[in-house]
Amino acid sequence: MKKVLTFLVLAVIMGLAAGQGSWYPQAVGGKPIQSDGGGTNYAYAIALQTIAAAESSDDDQLLNTTGGMLNTTTNLIVTSSGTYSTYFLAQPDVPRNIIGTVNASTNLSVKLTGTDISGAAITENLTWTAATGVKASTKAFSTVTRIDATLAANDTAKTLKVGTGDLLGLNSKLSTNTVLLAALDGTREGTAPSVTVNSTVLSLNTIDTHTAPGGKVTKVWYIV
């Protein structure tokens, strides 16, 4: 009898162990559950995403050119490693959007190439048309592997800075803003964050907390 019980216990343990792969992680959203007043309700889960300590926006985290580097005869190519990496400064500290700043009115196109929070390849273009100042990407880049800058013909040399914005990347594709709250350094934000969602493109799901990150850990609770 003891042998039989031992065998059964071992079988249960092995079964539980084998089932772990299908238990975690699991998609829990959208399972129908019973309601008390008719109709069908659905069970969803509350996800807690922790974003590592992020600095506030830094306009030259990645690149800060001199006027002579950005001109109409030589397109600017900067990569994070290899031949064109001399002027590349640093990667974003966390997945977040990228900003470009030009020192004077210009016609300029900057192509950003990199990866999103999942490691998938992404690109985005920043464009200035007879404009100056800051342009910001809508996608959150985990890494930037290449920056291509092209000035319009007959334009004068300009200074270009490429840095980080305050939009932090979420790690889930959301079709609706289901963010419940955000906290910086353990303190709940009194004002709701600005949230952008996209059900098909992961890098377009971002959060902008009311308080600038300031080197603090950000925690976000949302329904998935």
Side-chain angles (χ1 to χ4, degrees):
M1 181 57 116
K2 288 183 178 180
K3 290 182 178 180
V4 172
L5 290 174
T6 301
F7 174 79
L8 290 174
V9 170
L10 289 173
V12 170
I13 293 173
M14 291 175 65
L16 291 174
Q20 288 298 310
S22 62
W23 288 1
Y24 178 82
Q26 63 173 323
V28 296
K31 294 182 179 179
I33 58 174
Q34 183 178 354
S35 67
D36 293 321
T40 302
N41 292 340
Y42 295 89
Y44 285 82
I46 296 177
L48 167 58
Q49 179 181 343
T50 300
I51 301 172
E55 296 299 328
S56 296
S57 179
D58 182 348
D59 66 0
D60 62 355
Q61 170 84 6
L62 284 71
L63 173 71
N64 191 343
T65 72
T66 61
M69 289 173 56
L70 186 57
N71 55 67
T72 57
T73 58
T74 305
N75 293 335
L76 176 66
I77 301 174
V78 179
T79 56
S80 58
S81 62
T83 305
Y84 302 104
S85 62
T86 303
Y87 300 104
F88 188 87
L89 300 177
Q91 292 287 359
D93 49 356
V94 298
R96 61 197 306 169
N97 75 318
I98 304 301
I99 59 174
T101 308
V102 180
N103 67 319
S105 182
T106 187
N107 295 294
L108 171 67
S109 175
V110 174
K111 180 180 180 181
L112 305 169
T113 301
T115 60
D116 67 12
I117 196 170
S118 73
I122 56 173
T123 62
E124 187 166 354
N125 294 321
L126 306 180
T127 303
W128 290 257
T129 304
T132 186
V134 179
K135 300 291 183 179
S137 75
T138 54
K139 295 178 179 178
F141 284 77
S142 180
T143 66
V144 174
T145 55
R146 179 169 173 138
I147 302 168
D148 293 85
T150 305
L151 272 174
N154 302 319
D155 209 337
T156 57
K158 297 294 188 299
T159 296
L160 170 68
K161 295 188 290 185
V162 180
T164 55
D166 280 335
L167 302 183
L168 306 181
L170 297 176
N171 59 18
S172 298
K173 297 175 185 176
L174 303 175
S175 58
T176 304
N177 177 8
T178 58
V179 171
L180 303 173
L181 62 98
L184 269 68
D185 204 27
T187 300
R188 177 175 178 170
E189 289 274 88
T191 301
S194 298
V195 179
T196 302
V197 300
N198 190 289
S199 61
T200 57
V201 180
L202 179 59
S203 59
L204 290 176
N205 292 269
T206 59
I207 183 170
D208 184 3
T209 53
H210 179 69
T211 305
K216 299 175 181 177
V217 172
T218 300
K219 292 189 176 183
V220 188
W221 286 260
Y222 53 94
I223 299 172
V224 295

